[in-house]
Amino acid sequence: MSTAATAGALAAGTAHRAAESPGFLSPTGVEITFLLVGLVTLGAAVVTVTTRRLVHAALWLVVALGGLAVEYLLLTAEFIAWVQVLIYVGSVVVLLLFGLMLTRAPIGRSPDADSGNRWVALAVAVAAAAALVWVVVDAFRTTWIDLDGAPSGTTEVTGASLFQHWVLPFEALSVLLLAALVGAIVLSRKAEAGSEPGAKDAAPSGPATRTTDTRRDQEGAR
């Protein structure tokens, strides 16, 4: 009798936990939105690498990166979402567009924008995507994000964790970026300093030579 009662209690507890645990058969509005935005992002990424119009590829890249930012927002990762918008959409894509404009890239179709290694690139992309999906699923198989609970990816929480537990690597990265910036400035100043003496020497040589030739012509005419 006690064994039957214990088995009944365990079965009731398992059923109660199964009813409370989230599942794929009862998706919420956030999960449906996440899936739809993911499909749009995937489509934009595919168009980015398959189109033969360079400007269209850059614009579709904006859509893909913006879709990733929306996915981060849906996962309550507010800080990463805004970093995605500021750095990738606001800096990288703008740099690509400026590069296309300065190089006078063709607006229409570019026949040379295609490569003969398309199938090799597709195989590598599929293998990398499969490996990434397998790693993520294996690592977070039983992990669920409580979207209705306390936010864990907001700027406040991320900043507190960053400056409490990761302040030394953060400052080291800041010094590294500062050193790279100073090095770029020093290299550019050296290039300018090396080109200035030649320009100064070449500037007076032209007028002086022309003046000497003019005087010689005048003396010959006399």
Side-chain angles (χ1 to χ4, degrees):
M1 186 65 181
S2 60
T3 305
T6 304
L10 290 176
T14 304
H16 180 68
R17 287 193 300 269
E20 290 183 351
S21 62
F24 292 102
L25 298 180
S26 59
T28 61
V30 176
E31 294 174 348
I32 295 175
T33 306
F34 184 87
L35 179 61
L36 294 178
V37 175
L39 292 177
V40 173
T41 304
L42 178 61
V46 171
V47 175
T48 301
V49 298
T50 55
T51 183
R52 294 188 178 181
R53 300 174 182 266
L54 297 179
V55 178
H56 289 183
L59 296 178
W60 280 110
L61 181 61
V62 174
V63 177
L65 297 177
L68 288 178
V70 174
E71 299 284 55
Y72 286 134
L73 281 178
L74 293 175
L75 292 175
T76 68
E78 175 187 330
F79 179 78
I80 301 179
W82 293 120
V83 168
Q84 176 81 13
V85 172
L86 293 176
I87 294 179
Y88 288 96
V89 179
S91 299
V92 175
V93 177
V94 172
L95 181 62
L96 290 176
L97 291 176
F98 269 99
L100 292 177
M101 289 187 294
L102 293 176
T103 56
R104 296 181 181 179
I107 304 298
R109 296 173 62 88
S110 300
D112 56 348
D114 198 2
S115 176
N117 299 324
R118 173 180 294 186
W119 296 108
V120 177
L122 179 62
V124 172
V126 171
L132 181 61
V133 170
W134 180 78
V135 169
V136 171
V137 171
D138 184 69
F140 302 98
R141 187 185 302 274
T142 58
T143 302
W144 296 88
I145 298 176
D146 187 9
L147 300 177
D148 298 328
S152 58
T154 59
T155 306
E156 180 180 359
V157 175
T158 305
S161 176
L162 181 65
F163 288 101
Q164 286 180 0
H165 306 288
W166 302 95
V167 61
L168 184 59
F170 181 78
E171 294 298 333
L173 181 61
S174 302
V175 174
L176 179 63
L177 294 176
L178 180 61
L181 180 61
V182 172
I185 295 174
V186 170
L187 292 177
S188 62
R189 292 296 298 273
K190 283 184 178 179
E192 293 178 358
S195 61
E196 285 178 358
K200 290 181 179 179
D201 295 339
S205 62
T209 304
R210 288 194 295 268
T211 305
T212 304
D213 295 339
T214 304
R215 290 178 179 176
R216 289 177 180 176
D217 295 339
Q218 291 177 353
E219 291 177 358
R222 292 176 183 175

